[in-house]
Amino acid sequence: SRIFFCFKVFFKLAFEKNKIILGRSILTSLFLTLFNINNTLELHHELKSFSKFLFNMIISLPQKKKLKLILINKSLIKLLRIKDLKYIVLDDGADIHSFRSKKNFNVKKNSCVYMGSFYEGKGVEIIYELSKSLPNTQFHLYGDFKTLKNKKKYSNIKNIKFFKYIDYNKIPELLKSYKIALMPYQSTIKVRSNNLDISKYISPLKMFDYLAAGNIVIASKLNVYSHVLKNNSNSFLVSCKNINNWKMIINKVFNSSQNFMSIKLNAINTAKKYSWDNRAKKYYNFIKN
């Protein structure tokens, strides 16, 4: 299917004029570069196995100057060994306009939200521990239940509720119905490929959505997104190993008379900085210059 996609894209775009080609298919990028066609490849993680082989083929080509790269995190510069290539580092972003247009005055009481996959290290393990020590707090988790290990141990926890993925255009309204949004990453984060640890180069899409919604973001303290999340400014950052601190901050937010308005406003302003509009402008200036 990847080969079919590669040829389909190649023959559709190869003869078009005044085009900007941006994609995430390494195989397609290899063909475009081989035939002297300018293209940009966006990479979100370290490359392994066949993907690494294909990428090394591209950067060994005499035509490699036809290739530009978007990297999701600066840590990938060293991992991919791309000093000789033109690249730009761009975090993920948020659709600010869709969040501005959605309002929700019925905020769920004593309920925290989590969005994303349930792979090992994404934080469901921490939420499980929190649910036991905070029996009066509801934890609503939206994602693919198939990616959850040890499903049985969650069946008897009454204050954890799992929901299916929802359409992306419904996320703004949903997030605005919660006060607290959780991002409890652990020090090692797995994805579909178990031999891949993405903890050093993530730029979580949900982080920018949380910020754009004006949620009180409580996240693990990790260097990988320290340029975005600032403790006690636009979020609360907690050690992933200290469950008591997570519990303390959740209680503080729910039980305090403060509205934490400065945290919310700073979160929204941070999201504006990382909007898709700004990301597109940076990319466009990059390829034109």
Side-chain angles (χ1 to χ4, degrees):
S1 62
R2 292 185 182 185
I3 294 172
F4 176 75
F5 174 81
C6 169
F7 282 107
K8 181 180 177 181
V9 172
F10 177 78
F11 286 111
K12 185 174 182 179
L13 297 178
F15 306 106
E16 286 189 12
K17 296 181 179 180
N18 301 319
K19 58 185 175 290
I20 295 174
I21 304 175
L22 165 62
R24 291 185 61 185
S25 166
I26 298 175
L27 184 60
T28 307
S29 188
L30 172 61
F31 268 80
L32 292 169
T33 306
L34 186 63
F35 283 89
N36 269 314
I37 299 171
N38 289 315
N39 70 98
T40 304
L41 176 65
E42 181 162 340
L43 297 172
H44 286 200
H45 54 75
E46 186 180 1
L47 300 177
K48 301 277 187 179
S49 307
F50 192 56
S51 294
K52 185 176 182 179
F53 171 75
L54 289 176
F55 183 73
N56 287 337
M57 282 184 64
I58 299 175
I59 62 178
S60 65
L61 292 172
Q63 305 95 318
K64 66 182 180 181
K65 289 185 178 180
K66 294 293 180 179
L67 174 69
K68 293 182 175 68
L69 298 172
I70 292 180
L71 307 178
I72 200 77
N73 189 280
K74 64 181 180 181
S75 300
L76 289 170
I77 299 170
K78 186 180 290 186
L79 283 170
L80 298 173
R81 300 175 182 177
I82 53 166
K83 290 181 180 179
D84 296 334
L85 295 179
K86 292 182 179 180
Y87 61 84
I88 185 172
V89 178
L90 294 174
D91 281 278
D92 259 331
D95 183 2
I96 299 298
H97 308 293
S98 63
F99 283 91
R100 280 178 181 167
S101 63
K102 300 294 182 183
K103 294 183 179 180
N104 197 321
F105 300 103
N106 298 315
V107 177
K108 301 178 191 296
K109 292 183 178 180
N110 297 328
S111 297
C112 301
V113 65
Y114 167 89
M115 286 188 167
S117 66
F118 306 136
Y119 288 112
E120 184 180 349
K122 286 293 187 81
V124 185
E125 305 90 344
I126 293 175
I127 293 173
Y128 174 76
E129 295 300 326
L130 282 170
S131 69
K132 293 191 294 182
S133 58
L134 291 169
N136 295 321
T137 300
Q138 293 291 317
F139 297 90
H140 295 174
L141 284 62
Y142 293 81
D144 186 358
F145 193 64
K146 295 177 182 177
T147 62
L148 180 68
K149 288 186 177 181
N150 302 320
K151 295 180 179 66
K152 286 185 179 179
K153 80 173 186 177
Y154 295 92
S155 59
N156 295 323
I157 306 295
K158 294 182 180 180
N159 58 334
I160 293 183
K161 294 183 179 180
F162 290 94
F163 300 89
K164 295 180 181 179
Y165 273 125
I166 62 170
D167 292 338
Y168 192 72
N169 63 348
K170 296 178 181 177
I171 285 178
E173 186 174 3
L174 179 73
L175 286 180
K176 283 178 175 287
S177 67
Y178 292 91
K179 189 170 187 178
I180 294 177
L182 300 176
M183 215 166 73
Y185 287 117
Q186 296 191 349
S187 54
T188 300
I189 304 169
K190 300 291 185 179
V191 286
R192 190 177 302 167
S193 174
N194 284 324
N195 67 340
L196 201 61
D197 173 19
I198 64 169
S199 59
K200 293 180 176 60
Y201 40 79
I202 56 171
S203 180
L205 184 61
K206 64 171 166 276
M207 174 173 69
F208 299 103
D209 288 336
Y210 289 170
L211 293 169
N215 296 130
I216 304 296
V217 181
I218 306 177
S220 298
K221 188 177 182 180
L222 299 178
N223 288 332
V224 69
Y225 47 64
S226 61
H227 59 294
V228 179
L229 295 185
K230 305 295 180 183
N231 189 38
N232 292 317
S233 176
N234 59 8
S235 59
F236 291 107
L237 300 179
V238 193
S239 168
C240 58
K241 297 178 181 179
N242 195 327
I243 297 296
N244 283 333
N245 277 1
W246 283 85
K247 177 183 174 181
M248 182 183 69
I249 292 175
I250 290 173
N251 278 331
K252 178 182 177 182
V253 173
F254 281 141
N255 299 328
S256 174
S257 59
Q258 300 179 53
N259 288 323
F260 298 95
M261 192 54 67
S262 63
I263 297 279
K264 293 180 181 181
L265 290 175
N266 288 341
I268 292 169
N269 286 331
T270 301
K272 289 177 182 177
K273 180 181 176 183
Y274 291 96
S275 69
W276 290 124
D277 290 342
N278 285 339
R279 193 182 200 266
K281 288 174 184 175
K282 289 177 182 177
Y283 168 60
Y284 186 77
N285 290 333
F286 165 66
I287 59 171
K288 288 300 179 184
N289 295 329

